[in-house]
């Protein structure tokens, strides 16, 4: 059971920290470069980019307590599935936007903010409330390590796809990463349901 939890914690930490840094770095860079290309001064481009970034992060701030309340009412691993499903949808939607100053940008940025907050909150709840006391320190260490790896690896990969495939490509990449974590979490959840009450106990305590 602990090995399944370690795998879930590792994947959730890797992706959720990547979600945070990708939206922070590449939303601003994308909007700034688009503004300069459109003839805006660097100051005006920075202002527009900051507005978009602020809206996304404001939505993340507002959604975080809502996601926390949702996680208090459902099994933890089910909550991880919901959270990374939202993150996958949010980042994929943002990756489909062609013009960062067009009408679809703000709704997509808000949806990505919801996804970001969902993933970060769910990953924290999973490690904070479901880790057995005997191995809590180890799991928190694994969580921190995998989160750091997610920041480094996904930022590097995001830069590569930004240059190679387009300015919205890092968000498409994170949509794929989040859906991959969702698929892995669903697989672990199915295995625990098949194992019966004993196998599901670890993730049902917060239901």
């Amino acid at each position: 059971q602990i090995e399944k939890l370690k795998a879930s914690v590792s994947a959730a930490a890797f992706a959720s920290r990547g979600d945070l840094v990708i939206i922070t770095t590449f939303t601003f860079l994308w909007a700034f470069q688009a503004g300069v290309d459109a003839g805006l001064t660097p100051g005006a481009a920075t202002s527009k980019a900051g507005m978009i970034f602020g809206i996304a992060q404001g939505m993340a701030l507002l959604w975080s307590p809502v996601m926390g309340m949702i996680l208090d009412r459902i099994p933890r691993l089910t909550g991880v599935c919901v959270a990374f499903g939202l993150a996958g949808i949010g980042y994929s939607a943002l990756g489909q936007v062609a013009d960062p100053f067009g009408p679809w940008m703000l709704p997509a940025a808000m949806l990505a903010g919801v996804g970001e907050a969902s993933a970060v909150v769910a990953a924290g709840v999973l490690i904070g409330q479901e880790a057995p006391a005997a191995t809590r320190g180890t799991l928190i260490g694994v969580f921190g390590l995998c989160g750091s790896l997610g920041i480094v690896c996904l930022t590097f990969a995001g830069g590569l796809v930004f240059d190679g495939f387009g300015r919205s490509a890092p968000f498409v990449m994170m949509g794929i990463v989040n859906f991959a974590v969702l698929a892995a979490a669903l697989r672990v959840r199915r295995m625990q349901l098949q194992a019966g009450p004993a196998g599901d106990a670890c993730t049902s305590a917060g239901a």
Side-chain angles (χ1 to χ4, degrees):
Q1 196 62 241
I2 190 64
E3 294 305 320
K4 295 176 183 178
L5 185 57
K6 282 183 179 179
S8 299
V9 165
S10 299
F14 185 88
S16 65
R17 292 301 181 265
D19 284 334
L20 183 62
V21 75
I22 288 293
I23 198 169
T24 300
T25 302
F26 292 103
T27 301
F28 190 89
L29 180 60
W30 178 24
F32 177 82
Q33 290 191 354
V36 171
D37 290 347
L40 298 178
T41 65
T46 299
S47 177
K48 282 193 171 288
M51 180 190 69
I52 294 169
F53 174 73
I55 288 172
Q57 294 307 297
M59 193 65 197
L61 180 65
L62 293 173
W63 179 255
S64 293
V66 177
M67 191 65 203
M69 289 187 287
I70 293 172
L71 292 170
D72 282 340
R73 288 164 173 76
I74 59 177
R76 299 302 182 226
L77 196 53
T78 302
V80 170
C81 295
V82 171
F84 281 92
L86 289 172
I89 292 169
Y91 280 82
S92 297
L94 189 56
Q96 302 307 308
V97 175
D99 178 9
F101 304 130
W104 292 106
M105 182 59 179
L106 292 185
M110 292 171 68
L111 190 56
V114 167
E116 173 204 341
S118 298
V120 171
V121 172
V125 167
L126 182 66
I127 185 62
Q129 297 190 16
E130 300 305 325
T135 58
R136 185 163 294 155
T138 299
L139 284 172
I140 290 174
V142 170
F143 183 88
L145 174 62
C146 291
S148 298
L149 288 173
I151 290 172
V152 173
C153 295
L154 293 173
T155 303
F156 178 72
L160 293 179
V161 299
F162 184 93
D163 290 335
F165 295 97
R167 294 171 180 173
S168 62
F171 307 108
V172 176
M173 178 192 76
M174 286 312 304
I176 295 170
V177 171
N178 284 302
F179 282 131
V181 175
L182 169 61
L186 286 171
R187 182 173 182 273
V188 173
R189 182 175 181 274
R190 184 173 64 250
M191 292 169 61
Q192 290 183 339
L193 290 175
Q194 290 172 349
D200 194 45
C202 184
T203 57
S204 62

